[in-house]
Amino acid sequence: MTEFKGQSTISVHSGEHLDRETGSVNTPIYQSSTFFFPTGDKRTWDGEVPDGSYIYTRYGNPTVSAAERKIAALESGKHCLLFASGMAATSTTLLTYLKAGDRLVSQEDIYGGSYNLMRYHLTSLGIDVSFAPTADTGALIEAIVPGTKLVWLESPTNPLLKLVDYPEVIKAAHERGAMVVVDNTFATPINQRPLEAGADLVMESGTKYFGGHSDLLAGAAVVNDLDIAPVMRKRIVLGGSMDPMAAFLLERGMKTLALRMKCHNQNGSAIAEYLEDHPLVDRVYYPGLESHPQHALARKLMAGFGGMVSFEVKGGRKAAERAMSSMKLVKMATSLGGVESLVSMPLNSSHAAVPPEERARLGIRDNLVRLSVGIEDVEDLKEDLDQALRSA
Ligand SMILES: *Cc1c(COP(=O)(O)O)cnc(C)c1O
């Protein structure tokens, strides 16, 4: 396949499946669970299904492969495996590399589903799990004691946009013999590429910016030098494979990934600055703001700061709730990364199960609102936020 240089060209063209029979410009949807398998066919059923040779869609499918090649190219990786959701990618990856007695190190502020999986489900399998403070590089590295098998990082995090100095942590983990996975969902490969800093595997929830239209679920595991065959064998037996229709929507959505991220970066910065100067806002969390405690690190790690902005509404929880329900253009819903702006409250969504003392310790206040800034005109977004804050 042709190697492209620019991220926009890669977004549009990498991975595309050329259908010589019809000349179709777009990758066809191979909506088939099974493929011809004649008697005497020498292909094996042990998971070593080579690209371009298909047996059964749980093992692999040409539409899914096209999206996988595009994601691998965007992340500077050699291989990608797609899954039915981000959590399917996460659970399959963790169950591939960890067994009873192994030690897993992660951070306090990771995605709620990943935290739940590690804290309650992996520990019940006899895996030793420990969570270090996200923004404290020293403490994270200290937690990677010799014998640690895997380190799971996420940067920036939800909802406070904390950063991990992942190049430093990766270096230290490798010195101690541990492999490192980075959840790159918030940044996307347009803003940061952890494989280039030596991460062994990058996980992405394709449900968010990759798909970009809030119309599908997807998860990806991308590697460079790491052998991906064990993850593929695990995907086959756990069954979290991706459906061809979702793969088509994903590959189609990703054609505008670089274009959309440019807009999310611009709108995110503009809205963060606007809210920081707003008299009815106490505090704004955005890596691109100079007031962000890790702004210097953000400049080092990220090419753009994304579309996720969190802020505290003056007047406490009630005022924050009133402001949210007064928004007209911005919709109240969980999830993020779509073309439309969405708003939610960590208190009653992502962090509803976290006890109040623990939320306070993590710095998540009751008046905190999380905004996924879409690609609408920024003036319209400002107007909606302003009228909503005023009516609160
Ligand atoms: C949404 C999300 C996930 C989980 O992805 P799903 O597609 O919902 O399973 C994992 N990590 C982060 C950072 C997310 O935002």
Side-chain angles (χ1 to χ4, degrees):
M1 193 189 37
T2 326
E3 299 260 357
F4 302 112
K5 279 206 202 86
Q7 291 291 90
S8 281
T9 312
I10 293 173
S11 298
V12 177
H13 291 294
S14 282
E16 60 194 358
H17 177 105
L18 287 178
D19 176 10
R20 296 191 196 286
E21 205 169 315
T22 65
S24 164
V25 166
N26 287 308
T27 295
I29 310 168
Y30 287 92
Q31 197 69 39
S32 187
S33 59
T34 193
F35 299 83
F36 288 139
F37 192 80
T39 17
D41 197 317
K42 294 278 192 305
R43 287 177 291 169
T44 56
W45 287 80
D46 63 1
E48 305 298 327
V49 184
D51 205 21
S53 161
Y54 300 95
I55 299 174
Y56 186 60
T57 283
R58 179 154 44 77
Y59 288 61
N61 174 287
T63 311
V64 177
S65 298
E68 288 174 336
R69 288 191 298 266
K70 191 186 291 292
I71 295 170
L74 283 163
E75 298 277 3
S76 315
K78 290 198 184 104
H79 301 283
C80 166
L81 288 177
L82 273 165
F83 296 83
S85 69
M87 283 310 298
T90 297
S91 54
T92 306
T93 299
L94 288 170
L95 290 170
T96 300
Y97 294 105
L98 297 171
K99 58 180 190 320
D102 284 343
R103 178 178 167 81
L104 163 68
V105 169
S106 191
Q107 323 148 207
E108 285 174 341
D109 303 80
I110 51 168
Y111 176 72
S114 315
Y115 180 83
N116 186 330
L117 170 70
M118 292 174 193
R119 170 79 179 75
Y120 300 104
H121 299 262
L122 295 187
T123 49
S124 78
L125 298 176
I127 294 159
D128 170 24
V129 182
S130 97
F131 299 96
T134 298
D136 186 341
T137 310
L140 263 171
I141 290 174
E142 213 169 287
I144 310 168
V145 294
T148 300
K149 181 80 194 291
L150 191 145
V151 179
W152 184 279
L153 304 175
E154 184 182 318
S155 182
T157 61
N158 177 49
L160 294 176
L161 290 312
K162 292 183 192 172
L163 304 188
V164 176
D165 194 346
Y166 62 82
E168 287 300 314
V169 179
I170 289 168
K171 217 179 333 152
H174 286 171
E175 280 164 16
R176 292 162 170 77
M179 63 178 287
V180 182
V181 180
V182 179
D183 179 337
N184 200 34
T185 303
F186 269 40
T188 82
I190 305 303
N191 286 334
Q192 75 185 9
R193 286 184 290 282
L195 290 178
E196 291 175 5
D200 299 283
L201 190 146
V202 159
M203 179 268 159
E204 294 267 4
S205 167
T207 311
K208 316 297 168 54
Y209 287 110
F210 274 17
H213 296 74
S214 307
D215 55 4
L216 61 90
L217 293 175
V222 199
V223 301
N224 211 335
D225 295 326
L226 187 74
D227 177 18
I228 202 156
V231 186
M232 186 172 195
R233 284 193 285 268
K234 201 60 104 180
R235 181 177 73 174
I236 289 168
V237 293
L238 294 181
S241 311
M242 187 178 224
D243 183 80
M245 184 67 202
F248 169 78
L249 287 172
L250 179 67
E251 200 260 337
R252 178 201 214 260
M254 281 194 305
K255 291 182 193 213
T256 54
L257 181 67
L259 184 68
R260 282 186 284 110
M261 289 315 295
K262 228 181 263 178
C263 188
H264 286 296
N265 289 342
Q266 276 167 11
N267 282 3
S269 295
I271 293 297
E273 281 165 23
Y274 176 73
L275 290 171
E276 191 163 54
D277 288 337
H278 200 287
L280 299 171
V281 170
D282 272 337
R283 187 168 170 188
V284 181
Y285 300 85
Y286 186 71
L289 289 178
E290 272 175 37
S291 59
H292 189 285
Q294 295 171 292
H295 179 63
L297 180 62
R299 295 191 80 91
K300 200 173 91 184
L301 299 181
M302 306 178 79
F305 305 113
M308 298 305 297
V309 180
S310 291
F311 58 100
E312 292 162 2
V313 178
K314 218 167 233 146
R317 176 179 181 168
K318 283 275 168 291
E321 284 171 347
R322 274 197 303 271
M324 278 178 49
S325 14
S326 308
M327 292 179 194
K328 293 182 177 122
L329 173 61
V330 180
K331 293 191 183 69
M332 272 200 281
T334 191
S335 198
L336 61 108
V339 289
E340 69 291 306
S341 294
L342 297 179
V343 75
S344 65
M345 227 173 163
L347 179 70
N348 53 34
S349 55
S350 61
H351 289 69
V354 182
E357 324 77 70
E358 181 61 12
R359 276 204 304 267
R361 196 182 64 75
L362 291 172
I364 298 164
R365 302 215 169 88
D366 287 358
N367 59 343
L368 185 75
V369 170
R370 188 194 80 174
L371 178 62
S372 172
V373 182
I375 63 164
E376 299 95 337
D377 292 295
V378 76
E379 291 309 320
D380 290 336
L381 291 173
K382 284 183 191 169
E383 200 176 301
D384 193 37
L385 291 169
D386 183 54
Q387 67 78 22
L389 286 164
R390 282 183 203 287
S391 53

